[in-house]
Amino acid sequence: MALRFALVIEPAASDDPRPSFADSFRVIDPSAPALSVGELSTQRGDGIFESIGVVDGHVQETQAHLERLAHSARICDLPGPNLEQWRQAIGVAARHAPATGEGVIKLILSRGVEHGPAPTAWVTVAPAPDNSAAREHGIRVVTLDRGYGIDTPARAPWLLLGAKTLSYAVNMAAIREAKRRGADDAIFVTSDGFVLEAPTASLILRIGGRFVTPAPHGGILHGTTQLSLFAHLEEQGHETGYEVVPTGALREADAAWLVSSVRLAAPITAIDGVEMPVDAELTASFNRYLLSARD
Amino acid sequence: MALRFALVIEPAASDDPRPSFADSFRVIDPSAPALSVGELSTQRGDGIFESIGVVDGHVQETQAHLERLAHSARICDLPGPNLEQWRQAIGVAARHAPATGEGVIKLILSRGVEHGPAPTAWVTVAPAPDNSAAREHGIRVVTLDRGYGIDTPARAPWLLLGAKTLSYAVNMAAIREAKRRGADDAIFVTSDGFVLEAPTASLILRIGGRFVTPAPHGGILHGTTQLSLFAHLEEQGHETGYEVVPTGALREADAAWLVSSVRLAAPITAIDGVEMPVDAELTASFNRYLLSARD
């Protein structure tokens, strides 16, 4: 969907305590030229981002997204974001999100212009695409090798595997490959046979009545939607767990979902061509919860 | 170095045969806003690039760079670039490169604005940084695990390992890690112990009088400078070869270089802290050749 609002931020130091950062924001036309060709985000995908859901004007899970932005910055040796400044920018952006229905606010922190003095940062707002078909009828997925072993991320932090970087070309290529195979989305697996995540979503499996997600270990982005849904499931008395999930365990699951900030809970109807049962009622309850105002 | 010229291209179909593409070029101020925040290059590092050396106004190895751009486009499912259009754009850009001394022309092909109709493309020109210290005194390197096995690229083309994509955050992080370890640059190795390439350069080893580079196999960018230097070495009667190089072979080399389009041949003075002899005379002859006009 076309962007409907954008705001450039002049990033403040992470420990700058000023009460209002309004003078560090500059509203721009989201379809007009705003970035120079020297931007490292565009030259090298050198930066980080977050996509945040907005429902009926309420920004979902702001704090969890801000914390993950700071986490990604640490992994990428970017200056720590001033979270209060970003929170205020999100507040301004939220006023331009759809007042009813769903939207998406994106935060972007780039390393800045090459040889320039400081990072570049901006926030965009767009209406969310209509995800009702994926939520109601589900998605077919294929497993794709992410190329590395389960122990690689801890051993090789320069691969930035736990950061949400702008270097997202592989994630997009994986989704194109899934579509070539007649599916809608992919699940990345390690080359030594463990389940990771989807290119733009987390995976939740129901196995023997428990809800399980692959344990974040540096190579998996800790999903804000997965975290929120697990808290909800625990409140409802369900058992949840972070586990090392062998690829074979996908066949043991009696239900599975890809969950993310904007598409929310999409039930998986087939993995690698093998049909999978869908719990329509539970999925609907997940999405009702995810569409309620969450902080 | 600051950009001194930039040109936006309206990409033509790859089979458009028109004699002049001048009306598809638009000169822009390289430091002024030119790209919208909806650009997929900046949102997802979703595009490809080439960096071409310019010496005393002569653009080096244009054809090899154009062919590699087309190769990267195929891997990334981007529309094939019209090479004649790009060649003409390079011709315009070259007039703005330093007339004496060294410059760099960068070609960028992005997937375009999200949900937009077409790719975005542009060309920039900058003076080259002074690389004389690296060429004359050499560079210290460390080996870093690239995270995947030697057979991964052929098995998982969605990892885009043979394409020169804008998703370059890992390459930059590897160079930062090398500097943290007191070195200047890195050599990527596979997790199963084979030598690949540097984050922004190819590796050439001299082993027993032969010049060897790791065999491109999908996971290594075929270096235009390495190709050119091998052709030169063969003309001089030297033996060259593409080989699968185990990490241990780095210790057998009696000389080694990282070669790339702008820094040219930088002799390696140490690998992982182990000093390495430098053949100063041969290195100087490499750089004299690489600084001569090459097509």
Side-chain angles (χ1 to χ4, degrees), chain B residues 21-269:
Chain B
F21 287 94
D23 63 350
S24 69
F25 304 150
R26 186 165 49 86
V27 176
I28 59 165
D29 175 348
S31 60
L35 307 170
S36 78
V37 291
E39 248 296 319
L40 290 172
S41 56
T42 201
Q43 285 195 59
R44 297 186 191 141
D46 200 356
I48 56 177
F49 76 103
E50 286 293 322
S51 292
I52 311 180
V54 186
V55 179
D56 297 338
H58 185 274
V59 184
Q60 305 283 61
E61 301 279 352
T62 301
Q63 184 61 22
H65 284 286
L66 288 175
E67 285 172 8
R68 195 167 64 181
L69 188 75
H71 178 71
S72 294
R74 277 192 297 276
I75 295 176
C76 294
D77 302 313
L78 284 163
N82 185 303
L83 298 192
E84 179 54 27
Q85 182 183 33
W86 283 91
R87 189 186 309 279
Q88 291 179 22
I90 291 168
V92 175
R95 298 201 292 271
H96 299 270
T100 56
E102 298 172 53
V104 52
I105 290 179
K106 207 162 162 180
L107 318 180
I108 291 167
L109 175 58
S110 149
R111 203 174 299 276
V113 173
E114 191 163 19
H115 312 297
T120 317
W122 62 97
V123 174
T124 63
V125 182
D130 179 2
N131 284 304
S132 53
R135 291 176 195 161
E136 285 160 31
H137 307 306
I139 52 174
R140 301 174 70 84
V141 303
V142 292
T143 55
L144 292 180
D145 188 350
R146 186 63 187 81
Y148 58 81
I150 187 85
D151 294 331
T152 304
R155 204 176 60 224
W158 49 87
L159 300 178
L160 308 178
L161 290 165
K164 199 167 173 76
T165 80
L166 300 176
S167 284
Y168 230 51
V170 167
N171 303 55
M172 297 297 110
I175 293 173
R176 288 196 301 275
E177 175 68 17
K179 291 190 170 163
R180 257 193 290 271
R181 297 185 185 194
D184 304 294
D185 210 334
I187 295 174
F188 281 133
V189 298
T190 67
S191 51
D192 47 0
F194 296 95
V195 180
L196 293 167
E197 62 190 344
T200 67
S202 311
L203 173 69
I204 296 177
L205 302 170
R206 188 176 63 190
I207 303 179
R210 298 178 67 234
F211 294 88
V212 169
T213 196
H217 62 291
I220 294 179
L221 225 58
H222 204 159
T224 54
T225 309
Q226 172 267 312
L227 268 170
S228 175
L229 198 55
F230 266 29
H232 173 69
L233 283 165
E234 285 155 23
E235 264 182 28
Q236 309 275 309
H238 291 291
E239 201 184 331
T240 65
Y242 293 91
E243 291 182 8
V244 175
V245 180
T247 308
L250 292 172
R251 284 190 300 273
E252 292 163 27
D254 59 32
W257 298 264
L258 293 187
V259 303
S260 51
S261 296
V262 178
R263 194 173 58 185
L264 305 181
I268 294 175
T269 61

Side-chain angles (χ1 to χ4, degrees), chain A residues 218-275:
Chain A
I220 294 178
L221 224 59
H222 204 159
T224 53
T225 309
Q226 171 266 312
L227 267 170
S228 175
L229 199 54
F230 266 29
H232 173 71
L233 282 165
E234 286 156 24
E235 264 182 27
Q236 309 276 310
H238 292 289
E239 199 184 332
T240 65
Y242 293 92
E243 291 183 8
V244 175
V245 179
T247 307
L250 292 171
R251 283 190 300 272
E252 293 163 28
D254 60 32
W257 299 264
L258 293 187
V259 304
S260 51
S261 297
V262 177
R263 194 172 57 186
L264 304 181
I268 294 175
T269 60
I271 301 180
D272 293 330
V274 179
E275 305 295 320

Side-chain angles (χ1 to χ4, degrees), chain A residues 1 34-35 41-45 76-77 106 111 115 145 147-148 155 158 166-169 176 180-181, chain B residues 1 34-35 41-45 76-77 106 111 115 145 147-148 155 158 166-169 176 181:
Chain A
M1 307 289 272
L35 306 170
S41 57
T42 200
Q43 284 195 59
R44 298 186 191 140
C76 295
D77 302 311
K106 206 161 162 180
R111 202 173 299 275
H115 312 297
D145 187 351
Y148 59 81
R155 204 176 61 222
W158 49 87
L166 300 176
S167 284
Y168 230 52
R176 288 197 300 276
R180 256 193 292 270
R181 297 185 185 192
Chain B
M1 309 290 273
L35 307 170
S41 56
T42 201
Q43 285 195 59
R44 297 186 191 141
C76 294
D77 302 313
K106 207 162 162 180
R111 203 174 299 276
H115 312 297
D145 188 350
Y148 58 81
R155 204 176 60 224
W158 49 87
L166 300 176
S167 284
Y168 230 51
R176 288 196 301 275
R181 297 185 185 194

Side-chain angles (χ1 to χ4, degrees), chain A residues 79-105:
Chain A
N82 185 304
L83 298 191
E84 180 54 28
Q85 182 184 32
W86 284 92
R87 190 185 309 277
Q88 291 180 21
I90 292 168
V92 175
R95 298 201 292 270
H96 299 270
T100 56
E102 298 172 53
V104 52
I105 290 179

Side-chain angles (χ1 to χ4, degrees), chain A residues 29-193:
Chain A
D29 175 348
S31 60
L35 306 170
S36 78
V37 290
E39 249 296 320
L40 290 171
S41 57
T42 200
Q43 284 195 59
R44 298 186 191 140
D46 199 358
I48 56 177
F49 76 103
E50 285 293 322
S51 292
I52 312 180
V54 186
V55 179
D56 296 339
H58 185 275
V59 184
Q60 305 283 60
E61 300 281 351
T62 301
Q63 183 62 23
H65 284 285
L66 288 175
E67 285 172 8
R68 195 168 63 181
L69 188 75
H71 178 70
S72 294
R74 276 192 298 276
I75 295 177
C76 295
D77 302 311
L78 284 162
N82 185 304
L83 298 191
E84 180 54 28
Q85 182 184 32
W86 284 92
R87 190 185 309 277
Q88 291 180 21
I90 292 168
V92 175
R95 298 201 292 270
H96 299 270
T100 56
E102 298 172 53
V104 52
I105 290 179
K106 206 161 162 180
L107 318 180
I108 291 167
L109 174 58
S110 149
R111 202 173 299 275
V113 173
E114 190 162 20
H115 312 297
T120 317
W122 62 96
V123 174
T124 63
V125 182
D130 179 2
N131 284 302
S132 53
R135 291 175 195 162
E136 286 161 31
H137 307 304
I139 53 174
R140 301 175 70 83
V141 303
V142 291
T143 55
L144 292 180
D145 187 351
R146 186 62 187 81
Y148 59 81
I150 187 88
D151 294 330
T152 304
R155 204 176 61 222
W158 49 87
L159 300 178
L160 308 178
L161 290 165
K164 199 168 173 77
T165 79
L166 300 176
S167 284
Y168 230 52
V170 167
N171 304 55
M172 296 298 110
I175 293 173
R176 288 197 300 276
E177 175 68 19
K179 292 189 172 164
R180 256 193 292 270
R181 297 185 185 192
D184 304 293
D185 209 334
I187 295 174
F188 280 133
V189 297
T190 67
S191 50
D192 48 0

